[in-house]
Amino acid sequence: MSGSMISGPEGRRFTPWRALLLAVFALLSACGPSEVAVQGQFPAPLMQKLPLSLGVWYDEGFRTHEFFDEAKGRAESGWIVKTGDAQVQMWDTLLPGMFRELTHMKAKPEPGQMNQAVDAVLIPHVDELQYAIPTHTNVKVYEIWMRYRFELVSPGGKPLAEWTMTAYGKTPTAFLQSDEAAVNLAAVVALRDAGANFATNFTRVPQVQDWLAQRRNTAPRVAGNQEVEP
Amino acid sequence: MSMMRRALLLAPLVSLPLLTGCVTATVDEMVFNEPVEGIGDASVVILGRRHASDYETEPDFIECVGDHISSRDNSIEVIDELDFINALYPWFEPRTAPLYPEDLEKLLQQPPVAQRLAELRTQYMIWIDGSTIRTDSAGSMTCGIGPGGAGCFGFGTWGNDSDYEATIWDFTNRAEVGRINASASGQSYMPAVVVPIPIIAPVQGTACDSVGDQLLQFLSSEY
């Protein structure tokens, strides 16, 4: 009997019973939901930087964002898509390329809250995430769709603008590609799309346009006043 | 195991690479202003169109066409698709990619974009739109495993259709200078008597070769 025992790491011994138990756990874990922690590389944007000092605040829900979809039947598996880390990675790559200066705020901008001095603070939220895989749609693409909500506030928490934005990513089926790898790729494409949408449309958001116009109007007047003042 | 039996079992495995299904391909081409002297020091980028909702031009097809061109004329520099898209992010994403040559003018009004494109020395931008789909499938196959061994029995067949269109933009003149259309179809078979023998029709590969050959004729001074 002792001859059939296998020495494992740290001197622990695995009997055939333990090995069988591990195999059963491994089989049972295969029945659980498919889990994807989105991982990818995101390029910096190639554009002229806006002359703004922007702060960014990622709240807990954004930093740890995950999507859970329970299996609807025995034939299907549930899905957990964790996008939090990839979201932070993507926005931390995009925003420094878009604005003259980017600051990560120490705390959520609120009245009375001590914080760094910036022109405005961006607070992104993921309001909704949907996915589709070929078994759902009979179309040979994996898809991820996200709806973001952005708040642009003053460092003191005064709302300056609020708007929503969608992002979409898809990837075709590929030989020997697992569902998890394909969903990950579709999520990376969706995140890139989110960055592209934000970068190309930020200055077209009506409330942001109003705020930028207000800043333009205020800045020269102050300078002019200074010139005439003794 | 006798030598005869071993040979019979190994024969299908050895002959696998030799068995391919038949493919029918059609190529249409219309090009203007061919660079008769070749493209010199300039580079070419081949990009896939990915804005349709129900299909996507496969990245490996784009890579295949690029490899086809650069392997036959190594004087032609083909920029990797992902490298190009990353270098010009976010201007060549499915949402933002220019749809017409005239859109390039607007893009070049941005100094960082114009500078990056000048660094890349891009003379021709080739957009490929299309996909390979499975048209039909039939047959069935059963595989089993037992103490004496494992094996499959049955027959399966399926068809594939490829349809791709390459559009050539002359970057210097901001004009479309050519269109190449390649379609290919073929039937693959998989008989199985103990060992499955795939007889695959290289439909996508044939379409890749067809598009690649036509592009090579356009771009290369040697073809």
Side-chain angles (χ1 to χ4, degrees), chain A residues 43-48 90 94 139-141 143 166-168 170-172 191-197 199-200 204, chain B residues 50-56 58-59 82 85-91 93-96 106 110-113 116 134:
Chain A
L46 183 70
M47 58 201 313
Q48 279 184 308
M90 193 282 285
L94 182 86
V139 178
K140 289 186 174 180
V141 289
E143 300 168 285
T166 56
Y168 173 75
K170 70 176 191 302
T171 186
L191 284 164
R192 286 179 68 116
D193 185 54
N197 196 351
T200 53
R204 293 181 196 166
Chain B
R50 309 223 160 77
H51 58 267
S53 60
D54 56 341
Y55 71 91
E56 218 179 61
E58 301 90 347
L82 188 62
I85 292 172
N86 282 346
L88 286 146
Y89 182 77
W91 307 108
E93 296 298 299
R95 175 187 294 276
T96 52
K106 199 176 163 189
Q110 300 190 55
V113 177
R116 183 65 54 87
R134 182 172 289 193

Side-chain angles (χ1 to χ4, degrees), chain A residues 31 49 71 85 109 142 147 182 202 206:
Chain A
C31 302
K49 291 183 181 185
D85 288 345
Y142 294 80
R147 191 176 67 229
F202 175 72

